[in-house]
Amino acid sequence: MTEVLPHHENRDMTEAGPKEPNLACTNHPDGAPGDQASWLERHVRETGIFRCLECGKCTAICPISQYDHAFSPRRSVGRALMRHDEALLSDDRLWACFTCWHCSLVCPAGVAYPDLTLAVRTEARRLGAAAVCTHGEAIHAWMRMMMDPELKQDRLGWVTSSPQGGELVTRADSDTLYFVGCAPYYGALFKPLGVDGDGIARSTVRVLNALGIEPQVLADERCCGHDLLWEGDVEGFRTLAQLNANLVRKSGAKQVVTSCPECARALKIDYPDHGIDLGVEIFHLTELLADSDWPSAQHAAHSTQHVSRITYHDPCRLGRHLGVYDAPRQVIERLELELAEMPRNRGNALCCGTNGWTHCAIANKAIQVERLREARATGADLLVTACIKCQIHFKCAMQDQLLGDEIAIEIKDLATLVAEVLDNNEL
Amino acid sequence: MVASFSTVQPVGRTASHQLGRIGVFICECGDKVAGVLDVEFLAESARRLPGTIYAGHAPYWCSADGRERLQETIRAERLERIVVAGCSPRTHRRLFQETAAEAGVDRALVGLVNIREGCAWPHRGEAGAATTRAQAQIGMEVVHVAELTPRPRAEVHITPAVLVIGGGLAGMTACLELADAGVPVTLVERAPTLGGTAAPDTRDLTDAVQTHPGISVKLNTHVANVDGSVGSYLVTTTNHKMRNTSTPRGGKRTQHGPFGAIIVATGVPDQETNELAKLLRLPQDAQGYLPECRIRLRPGTYVERGVYVCGSAHYPCDAAETQFQAYSAASRALRHLRRVKMTAQAPVAQVNAEKCNGCGDCLTVCPFAAVTLEERLEGLSLSVIDPLLCTGCGNCVSVCPVGAVTVAGWADSQLEAQMRLALGEALPQAASSQSPVLIFACEWSGYAAAELAGAQKLSYPSSVRMIRLDCSGRLQPGLILKAFEMGAAGVLVLGCEPKVCHYERGNERAAAAYQQAEAITGLLGLPSTRLQIAWTPPDDGPAFAELVTRFVEGVEEVGAGK
């Protein structure tokens, strides 16, 4: 398997292509003023999706396509090349794509299909159409409410003690800022599923403390905007991004660490793409952990009690989007736990089955069940992932009344696991 | 100053609601309404609502003359939907539905909004504000009606045959009652003989049952499975005396039915009673008895499943009581069979099969066991809702994580359209004390109390906008958060008191949804005085007025403190 470049490094490949495509229908390469040389025209030209070979590898690998035959990345790219913008905009599966990046990974021509999806969604939204998001749209409601600069959240209640009762230390003038993301909010909404958002946040601080870092946390932190961006709400995303950028700059921090891969992707890739520069380095927690010295656990296997074998699920945003595959594995190795890889891992990992809360139906569930079966087949006692959303979606799938036992497996965030090991070993 | 409407365009969403030809009929109610509200203004502003092509006011739309004029207007303007703004929907809904139906308007497309007890009377001290509120409430009912769809009619034939489970005193008594009335009866008994716990004193009954040509007796037989649905139950039995070597469990399995009614007379509960209760989806109390299984919708109206319990399976009975219960069960079964047909009554929940991911949350929450899970591909399931058992309470809609189920009339889009209109004049960024307070009131508690308070001429702040729900359990956290996102100054949720929820336990669902919303609004830093849930009795007008007044005061204090 060839070395896979993460998404943002792949971009150079597309920019290397010719700027002026040899297409008969283009009269004005740069688009005359007032010309509707539309959003689609611009997108096709600027991203080089005209290189599509129509080979269909994207659709073959696409997990949604396997269960929902009407979903076809190849057909959508084909429509884009034919400039069938109406068909793209009115596609009722527009909101179904997970933007998991698997298609682009296997594409021999460097076509970034998720970017096309993003462009279509942005235009659709501009024209007044929008996804009807899941969970009664509760999630997007709070994200939009965070756009209000006057909002004074009360979001630091989780900063109490570490999961096992030890001390958590934060410092307002720290060089490291812990960007928490919506974990406390997800914890509130998905408490019935057993998702402990506060626990992940606490564990992250506990782990950072063990690295000798006493991070600062923002009382006014806003949602990173990742979900609003991917549902085409560029304005909303920019508003949130700007608010966060102001806060980060004012904080004086030199680096930002987060335990959510979607926040990491947004801060690292999307903010600069939209001209918002935080001026600091961004890390996912696993990257810091893999790079740093931290107290290693003796007899770690005993301290995690009943767990002897674990398996790890690569979140799409951490893996394919950011190229971080090794760091989480190095962390697991340090914990001295037996890692049983699922057959589809790293760049080949199956997505957790939904993204951005824009769409969830039978195909999504089928994918989640498939992935959980894969996890169970490894014989692992514990499924570890590094994304709170993956955890939410898997736990939701496990609620199924008929399948329950067949797909049930304990799930933990890697931050939680590390914190537990540290606490159990009093490190 | 009285606010004017902005066009109701959903923010960032394609307008998908049907803007049928809507007529708004504003009732002056003599001068009971017209004396407080500016009906001319209301008619004029209603005319500007989307889809509304007629808006007029008259002294009494409910009078014979008024109704005739209403029908003439429907025909002349070719109206497809109407809204009557006057007195209580609870007293006048049927009248206007019939009136409109005679003129060709689908019953389901008739909306009523109370601007008398609802607006004119409680706010008669502030005429301008009362008119503003009425204007908003009328607009909300119009956008609600605009999104309604004609209700699908589900009709089912009730098979004239009865299954009696249990051949003791209760079961045999019921058998004879029904068979003598000409109904074919199948009697299933697990023992090798009839008689039950009262044997041998039941010898005469046993003889009568065994010789009656209309009763088919199956001894040594257990009920293994119940399939089918209301009106045609299919029951699989096993006979453990007759072995069938092809089935590993032994015992010959036979399918019986269809039956229009099932009578459970299994006597004092044991393990098998638990299994039977699960098959028939009957509730059990702590000791295993099968209590009253009638589902009360409104006084005298029940969801009739055709399943009846009598004798000691119901509660410990002596012989006389047992027989009386058996007579009663047989009588009710007979009445059920004589209906011949059943049609779905309330607006019902419908599942979008493409969206449903088979999680089964709806099955767990449904108070009426109207949901079953059907297997489809690869072990995944599809939720199927029986329209005859569904009461339209909407708890399933609230709990569905993917929005696969809707209740026609109470879809999210409609509630949001109402909210948007109610809050349209408020600025989203600065929810000041001038912004309206949204009240989600269930029809059987808060809404009834509101009408009573108005009828009693009690006053409460006019800055409230009421959204009527069939059940408070319809609410999900997202709707409450949306209300704040849209600029509501406060949100008040009113539901039935514990244990007296009109839909069995919808208020429990409401409480759970509220808790989640409360946790999230807490994180968002919204002062807790801006969100409240209360269990209001329908018959206490002063309590309602006091509750709302204090809530609005609390909201305004917070606004002033900003």
Side-chain angles (χ1 to χ4, degrees):
Chain A
M1 205 179 122
T2 52
E3 177 66 42
V4 170
L5 290 174
H7 149 74
H8 61 288
E9 286 171 32
N10 245 338
R11 296 160 74 76
D12 295 336
M13 213 164 97
T14 59
E15 266 142 42
K19 291 273 187 237
E20 318 261 345
N22 184 17
L23 296 164
C25 50
T26 315
N27 294 322
H28 304 278
D30 295 317
D35 175 16
Q36 287 300 308
S38 57
W39 60 279
L40 186 55
E41 187 66 51
R42 273 196 306 277
H43 184 83
V44 169
R45 264 188 267 131
E46 284 163 22
T47 59
I49 63 174
F50 50 83
R51 275 196 291 273
C52 171
L53 304 173
E54 296 193 49
C55 68
K57 287 187 79 173
C58 50
T59 306
I61 201 79
C62 174
I64 306 176
S65 193
Q66 189 191 344
Y67 291 103
D68 180 0
H69 301 309
F71 186 87
S72 167
R74 174 172 76 152
R75 190 172 57 210
S76 299
V77 173
R79 281 178 177 156
L81 294 181
M82 304 284 278
R83 309 302 194 272
H84 287 169
D85 51 346
E86 284 288 330
L88 285 170
L89 290 167
S90 59
D91 186 354
D92 59 0
R93 293 198 171 45
L94 173 57
W95 308 99
C97 176
F98 307 152
T99 60
C100 73
W101 224 269
H102 214 163
C103 50
S104 299
L105 202 71
V106 301
C107 174
V111 172
Y113 175 73
D115 280 347
L116 173 65
T117 302
L118 178 57
V120 179
R121 287 178 182 176
T122 307
E123 179 65 14
R125 199 183 161 93
R126 201 185 65 81
L127 294 174
V132 178
C133 300
T134 54
H135 298 279
E137 302 194 276
I139 297 154
H140 290 234
W142 84 55
M143 290 172 177
R144 296 213 162 90
M145 287 170 79
M146 288 190 189
M147 284 161 58
D148 176 4
E150 303 295 322
L151 189 76
K152 282 273 166 284
Q153 297 168 75
D154 179 11
R155 54 177 295 147
L156 295 180
W158 59 267
V159 187
T160 51
S161 54
S162 91
Q164 311 287 66
E167 213 198 338
L168 287 182
V169 187
T170 58
R171 224 182 60 225
D173 60 349
S174 172
D175 275 353
T176 303
L177 187 137
Y178 170 37
F179 191 89
V180 182
C182 289
Y185 289 83
Y186 286 126
L189 186 63
F190 293 110
K191 196 155 153 207
L193 287 182
V195 173
D196 185 4
D198 284 1
I200 293 177
R202 284 190 208 114
S203 300
T204 304
V205 175
R206 170 67 181 93
V207 166
L208 289 170
N209 287 169
L211 298 181
I213 300 174
E214 296 168 351
Q216 53 168 307
V217 283
L218 297 169
D220 282 324
E221 187 190 299
R222 302 298 203 255
C223 169
C224 66
H226 171 281
D227 287 348
L228 292 190
L229 179 66
W230 285 98
E231 69 149 349
D233 185 359
V234 179
E235 289 313 311
F237 165 75
R238 285 198 180 133
T239 308
L240 291 173
Q242 201 54 65
L243 287 167
N244 278 324
N246 296 343
L247 290 168
V248 169
R249 279 191 226 110
K250 237 175 40 185
S251 75
K254 310 268 190 316
Q255 68 180 11
V256 168
V257 64
T258 176
S259 41
C260 173
E262 308 211 326
C263 293
R265 188 225 138 94
L267 298 176
K268 264 209 235 212
I269 298 178
D270 301 308
Y271 279 34
D273 258 7
H274 288 260
I276 294 166
D277 185 12
L278 295 177
V280 299
E281 272 205 274
I282 322 277
F283 296 102
H284 183 264
L285 179 67
T286 51
E287 293 179 286
L288 260 192
L289 272 174
D291 272 344
S292 312
D293 284 326
W294 43 293
S296 63
Q298 312 281 357
H299 317 299
H302 298 305
S303 61
T304 45
Q305 294 160 324
H306 56 281
V307 170
S308 54
R309 178 192 285 181
I310 68 169
T311 188
Y312 172 70
H313 167 81
D314 291 276
C316 297
R317 262 60 182 161
L318 189 61
R320 284 184 287 263
H321 285 239
L322 293 173
V324 178
Y325 301 109
D326 290 329
R329 288 171 168 82
Q330 284 161 15
V331 172
I332 290 169
E333 203 180 310
R334 292 284 296 276
L335 294 175
E336 293 179 21
L337 289 167
E338 185 200 338
L339 172 62
E341 294 271 16
M342 287 185 267
R344 287 178 292 186
N345 59 68
R346 292 171 175 267
N348 228 2
L350 183 61
C351 177
C352 71
T354 186
N355 182 270
W357 315 104
T358 54
H359 187 266
C360 188
I362 182 79
N364 306 67
K365 180 69 172 291
I367 293 162
Q368 285 153 4
V369 170
E370 195 183 320
R371 188 58 166 170
L372 285 169
R373 282 189 174 134
E374 200 177 339
R376 281 282 296 258
T378 62
D381 306 300
L382 179 67
L383 170 59
V384 176
T385 185
C387 175
I388 187 174
K389 283 163 154 184
C390 293
Q391 194 185 136
I392 292 169
H393 300 313
F394 284 138
K395 283 189 167 160
C396 175
M398 295 197 298
Q399 300 283 91
D400 191 281
Q401 305 216 359
L402 292 187
L403 286 170
D405 286 338
E406 210 186 306
I407 54 175
I409 185 170
E410 199 186 343
I411 302 182
K412 271 200 188 133
D413 194 281
L414 192 50
T416 310
L417 187 62
V418 176
E420 269 177 24
V421 170
L422 291 172
D423 275 342
N424 283 337
N425 286 280
E426 286 159 23
L427 296 168
Chain B
M1 284 315 295
V2 185
S4 64
F5 286 115
S6 48
T7 352
V8 180
Q9 263 311 316
V11 168
R13 202 195 290 241
T14 40
S16 61
H17 54 262
Q18 308 165 54
L19 299 178
R21 303 174 66 82
I22 304 173
V24 179
F25 298 86
I26 297 166
C27 195
E28 297 164 24
C29 204
D31 73 337
K32 296 198 200 79
V33 167
V36 179
L37 307 181
D38 183 349
V39 291
E40 182 54 49
F41 170 81
L42 289 176
E44 201 199 315
S45 76
R47 238 168 262 133
R48 285 186 271 125
L49 291 167
T52 306
I53 55 170
Y54 169 85
H57 56 93
Y60 291 102
W61 286 112
C62 58
S63 67
D65 287 345
R67 279 180 284 130
E68 215 179 280
R69 192 174 142 200
L70 193 141
Q71 290 176 327
E72 275 164 19
T73 313
I74 289 176
R75 290 190 199 101
E77 305 280 354
R78 291 173 297 123
L79 299 176
E80 289 164 11
R81 299 153 191 263
I82 66 165
V83 168
V84 180
C87 59
S88 173
R90 296 154 84 234
T91 50
H92 283 61
R93 181 180 287 134
R94 184 155 288 178
L95 176 70
F96 285 113
Q97 280 179 332
E98 298 302 331
T99 309
E102 278 166 29
V105 169
D106 190 309
R107 258 180 199 80
L109 304 178
V110 173
L112 273 81
V113 55
N114 191 333
I115 56 171
R116 189 178 73 176
E117 291 92 333
C119 300
W121 289 356
H123 314 308
R124 64 196 177 287
E126 354 158 36
T131 304
T132 309
R133 181 173 172 204
Q135 180 193 26
Q137 299 282 172
I138 292 172
M140 287 155 74
E141 189 65 23
V142 166
V143 305
H144 170 64
V145 165
E147 303 238 357
L148 290 176
T149 46
R151 278 182 222 143
R153 292 221 177 283
E155 200 178 77
V156 123
H157 175 70
I158 304 175
T159 318
V162 177
L163 173 76
V164 177
I165 309 175
L169 177 58
M172 290 197 287
T173 307
C175 279
L176 289 168
E177 280 299 298
L178 288 164
D180 284 345
V183 177
V185 179
T186 305
L187 173 62
V188 159
E189 166 56 54
R190 67 182 177 184
T193 53
L194 296 176
T197 37
D201 295 326
T202 44
R203 159 132 297 137
D204 290 342
L205 270 182
T206 307
D207 289 341
V209 165
Q210 283 178 319
T211 52
H212 199 299
I215 304 177
S216 165
V217 180
K218 314 277 174 212
L219 298 170
N220 301 303
T221 304
H222 304 254
V223 170
N225 197 22
V226 178
D227 256 320
S229 69
V230 176
S232 47
Y233 292 110
L234 297 166
V235 180
T236 310
T237 57
T238 45
N239 185 323
H240 55 260
K241 272 291 202 249
M242 293 166 69
R243 290 203 187 287
N244 183 345
T245 47
S246 64
T247 58
R249 276 196 221 117
K252 178 157 178 254
R253 282 173 90 91
T254 328
Q255 198 182 66
H256 304 277
F259 300 109
I262 297 177
I263 294 183
V264 177
T266 48
V268 176
D270 59 18
Q271 180 53 35
E272 225 175 305
T273 317
N274 299 341
E275 284 155 26
L276 191 63
K278 277 206 199 72
L279 286 177
L280 290 171
R281 285 182 282 171
L282 292 172
Q284 284 181 283
D285 69 12
Q287 280 81 41
Y289 291 97
L290 304 164
E292 185 64 71
C293 61
R294 304 180 79 184
I295 299 157
R296 180 184 60 88
L297 270 190
R298 45 205 82 183
T301 312
Y302 294 83
V303 171
E304 204 57 74
R305 286 179 55 203
V307 178
Y308 309 94
V309 181
C310 60
S312 294
H314 186 31
Y315 62 79
C317 297
D318 61 16
E321 180 65 36
T322 301
Q323 281 197 295
F324 280 127
Q325 288 199 12
Y327 292 138
S328 169
S331 163
R332 283 158 66 193
L334 197 58
R335 199 168 67 217
H336 183 61
L337 296 185
R338 296 241 159 104
R339 286 154 91 184
V340 179
K341 277 194 310 227
M342 263 179 77
T343 50
Q345 299 286 340
V348 294
Q350 291 170 292
V351 176
N352 180 337
E354 265 188 27
K355 282 193 180 175
C356 174
N357 68 5
C359 70
D361 283 357
C362 48
L363 190 152
T364 311
V365 86
C366 179
F368 306 107
V371 183
T372 40
L373 290 176
E374 257 177 24
E375 208 177 308
R376 44 181 179 173
L377 62 110
E378 307 216 5
L380 298 175
S381 355
L382 168 68
S383 162
V384 176
I385 298 179
D386 188 335
L388 289 170
L389 295 179
C390 175
T391 60
C393 70
N395 279 229
C396 52
V397 181
S398 163
V399 89
C400 177
V402 301
V405 63
T406 51
V407 173
W410 307 109
D412 280 353
S413 58
Q414 296 162 25
L415 291 173
E416 283 164 33
Q418 286 191 62
M419 284 157 59
R420 203 170 289 116
L421 193 140
L423 302 167
E425 59 267 22
L427 297 165
Q429 304 298 62
S432 69
S433 59
Q434 302 309 311
S435 307
V437 164
L438 220 50
I439 303 181
F440 290 99
C442 106
E443 175 147 1
W444 314 99
S445 59
Y447 184 82
E451 287 198 340
L452 182 61
Q456 291 175 333
K457 304 282 175 63
L458 302 167
S459 291
Y460 54 88
S462 61
S463 55
V464 302
R465 303 287 181 262
M466 181 160 301
I467 293 183
R468 192 182 78 241
L469 301 171
D470 254 6
C471 180
S472 58
R474 169 65 186 82
L475 279 180
Q476 69 258 45
L479 272 176
I480 298 177
L481 291 176
K482 271 250 178 81
F484 286 112
E485 191 200 334
M486 288 182 192
V491 174
L492 179 62
V493 177
L494 302 177
C496 294
E497 291 175 298
K499 304 234 188 287
V500 293
C501 173
H502 193 83
Y503 292 98
E504 303 290 306
R505 42 176 210 265
N507 50 5
E508 287 173 24
R509 174 66 205 143
Y514 176 83
Q515 266 174 10
Q516 289 174 302
E518 195 185 23
I520 295 169
T521 52
L523 287 168
L524 286 167
L526 297 187
S528 58
T529 42
R530 288 177 64 186
L531 175 63
Q532 190 182 338
I533 191 166
W535 314 114
T536 40
D539 52 5
D540 194 341
F544 173 85
E546 161 109 29
L547 172 73
V548 172
T549 308
R550 270 191 287 113
F551 180 70
V552 174
E553 274 169 15
V555 168
E556 281 173 3
E557 257 172 40
V558 169
K562 263 184 158 188

